[in-house]
């Protein structure tokens, strides 16, 4: 008989791409995951992983097992959801994935609140880029995602994934002290031509948004410095090396030498919680989403005059919460 935990390990490798990343998502060591898969290979008398450069590749037989594992894990999730729903209290393990600034600026207070009020709930956070996190929740690698999109770059949610809005985070233009735009009460996007830009690398949501925004205003962006973390971007602005568009959430106090200038219209990114439709009735999901939404006004007040999302979701390519259970929960 196939062991579910070994199938879960193989499924995690298929989702995350490496044994190390799979181990991190499961809370195990890489050697423990490798041992689980080696045992599964002996049980099935089948080679499941092959070395490919510095990583691994799943064989055709492994992908057949991955499909079966996904079905089995979905059945287990439904059973666990029904049991938790009957108990009526959030409990068990809940894996949460969030983008960097939400993991820094929003999730710590939310997770601490949940830990105090629901000691039977074991919520665990992983920092993941929004483009990747939605796919992870759809494949069952994580239970709940906090992701964002921009006003001109919606984030698609696949079938089988529900969502609820959390809030809206505003974005400011940061310039060095003494810059030609420093001290302005507002700057229009058409005035941003000719600047040296500091932003995240290609493929990141913020980078894609900046490129679309400036090109839409008739400017080809001159990207001179790239970094993943917002504090690094702010430090580069403080050194006088360029300008940056950075959201307020998780940004922290600005250092000397950096001036915040509002854009007109001001860029907005929208925060969402996303989860699998099959887990929508799970109390842990409902309570975590409620807590995220409850904490947002306080977080928004700390970061400036950000706006709270409406209680209803906007039209989206993914599903939104409906039905008596989901509407009352969120």
């Amino acid at each position: 008989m196939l062991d579910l935990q070994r199938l879960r390990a193989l499924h995690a490798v298929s989702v995350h791409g490496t044994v190390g990343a799979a181990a991190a998502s499961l809370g195990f060591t890489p050697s423990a995951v490798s041992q689980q898969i080696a045992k599964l290979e002996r049980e099935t008398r089948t080679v499941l992983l092959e070395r490919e450069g510095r990583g691994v590749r799943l064989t055709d037989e492994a992908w057949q097992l991955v499909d079966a594992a996904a079905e089995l894990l979905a059945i287990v999730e439904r059973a666990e959801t029904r049991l938790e729903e009957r108990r009526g209290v959030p409990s068990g393990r809940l894996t949460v994935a969030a983008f960097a600034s939400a993991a820094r600026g929003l999730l710590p207070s939310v997770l601490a609140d949940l830990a105090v009020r629901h000691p039977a709930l074991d919520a665990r956070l992983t920092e993941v880029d929004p483009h990747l996190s939605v796919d992870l929740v759809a494949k069952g690698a994580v239970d709940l995602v906090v992701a964002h999109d921009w006003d001109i770059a919606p984030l698609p949610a696949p079938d089988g994934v529900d969502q609820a809005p959390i809030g809206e985070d505003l974005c400011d233009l940061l310039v060095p002290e003494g810059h030609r735009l420093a001290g302005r009460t507002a700057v229009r996007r058409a005035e941003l031509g000719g600047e040296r830009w500091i932003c995240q690398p290609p493929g990141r949501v913020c980078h894609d948004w900046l490129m679309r925004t400036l090109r839409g205003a008739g400017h080809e962006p001159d990207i001179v410095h790239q970094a993943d973390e917002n504090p690094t971007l702010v430090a580069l602005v403080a050194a006088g090396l360029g300008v940056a568009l950075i959201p307020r959430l998780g940004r922290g106090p600005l250092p000397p030498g950096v001036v915040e200038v509002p854009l007109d219209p001001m860029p907005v990114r929208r925060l969402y919680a996303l989860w699998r439709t099959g887990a929508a009735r799970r109390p842990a999901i409902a309570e975590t989403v409620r807590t995220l939404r409850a904490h947002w006004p306080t977080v928004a007040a700390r970061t400036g005059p950000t706006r709270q999302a409406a209680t209803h979701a906007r039209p989206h390519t993914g599903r939104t919460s409906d039905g008596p259970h989901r509407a009352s929960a969120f």
Side-chain angles (χ1 to χ4, degrees):
M1 181 176 295
L2 296 175
D3 183 274
L4 182 61
Q5 293 305 315
R6 292 165 194 164
L7 288 174
R8 190 188 299 273
L10 181 64
H11 180 265
V13 173
S14 74
V15 171
H16 295 280
T18 67
V19 171
S25 71
L26 296 172
F28 299 145
T29 64
S31 61
V33 171
S34 296
Q35 291 173 14
Q36 289 290 324
I37 294 176
K39 291 177 181 178
L40 186 59
E41 287 182 323
R42 290 195 294 271
E43 290 173 351
T44 58
R45 300 183 181 88
T46 305
V47 176
L48 301 176
L49 297 183
E50 295 179 341
R51 288 287 180 185
E52 187 173 66
R54 304 178 76 176
V56 294
R57 180 183 68 85
L58 275 69
T59 64
D60 292 341
E61 293 79 7
W63 283 112
Q64 292 181 5
L65 281 180
V66 166
D67 291 340
E71 295 178 15
L72 290 172
L73 292 173
I75 293 172
V76 170
E77 180 179 63
R78 289 195 294 270
E80 291 174 341
T81 296
R82 286 193 292 267
L83 288 173
E84 188 179 325
E85 188 178 16
R86 286 181 62 86
R87 289 192 292 266
V89 295
S91 60
R93 178 177 293 189
L94 182 77
T95 53
V96 181
F99 61 96
S101 53
R104 180 171 59 252
L106 175 61
L107 268 299
S109 62
V110 169
L111 296 176
D113 187 4
L114 290 171
V116 170
R117 293 188 295 110
H118 303 288
L121 177 63
D122 180 15
R124 304 190 177 197
L125 173 65
T126 300
E127 184 181 305
V128 180
D129 186 77
H131 281 319
L132 301 176
S133 62
V134 175
D135 188 50
L136 292 179
V137 76
K139 292 180 177 180
V142 298
D143 299 312
L144 181 72
V145 159
V146 176
H148 71 80
D149 66 9
W150 289 88
D151 45 5
I152 64 170
L155 180 70
D159 291 337
V161 174
D162 288 351
Q163 63 173 351
I166 297 172
E168 293 185 343
D169 185 24
L170 302 185
C171 180
D172 298 298
L173 175 67
L174 301 187
V175 303
E177 193 173 33
H179 187 274
R180 66 182 181 90
L181 298 176
R184 291 276 298 273
T185 57
V187 173
R188 299 193 63 82
R189 299 179 187 185
E191 301 178 74
L192 298 178
E195 295 294 339
R196 293 168 61 84
W197 288 95
I198 302 166
C199 72
Q200 294 181 331
R204 304 293 294 272
V205 176
C206 294
H207 179 280
D208 297 344
W209 180 89
L210 177 65
M211 300 297 287
R212 293 188 189 187
T213 297
L214 295 182
R215 285 172 177 167
H219 308 303
E220 183 61 30
D222 180 15
I223 309 297
V224 295
H225 301 292
Q226 301 177 35
D228 282 316
E229 295 294 331
N230 283 343
T232 305
L233 302 179
V234 173
L236 291 168
V237 174
L241 298 174
V243 303
L245 283 170
I246 300 183
R248 294 176 178 175
L249 176 63
R251 190 176 70 194
L254 294 178
V258 178
V259 177
E260 176 184 288
V261 182
L263 285 181
D264 180 22
M266 187 167 284
V268 175
R269 66 175 182 177
R270 296 163 293 216
L271 275 64
Y272 295 92
L274 300 101
W275 62 94
R276 287 180 299 283
T277 303
R281 297 168 66 121
R282 184 181 173 191
I285 296 287
E287 182 60 20
T288 301
V289 174
R290 276 198 295 266
T291 305
L292 284 164
R293 292 170 64 90
H295 277 249
W296 179 254
T298 301
V299 171
R302 289 200 307 265
T303 59
T306 57
R307 293 180 288 172
Q308 186 174 12
T311 55
H312 61 279
R314 63 180 176 83
H316 203 280
T317 51
R319 296 168 56 96
T320 54
S321 300
D322 54 16
H325 292 280
R326 300 176 204 168
S328 62
F330 310 136

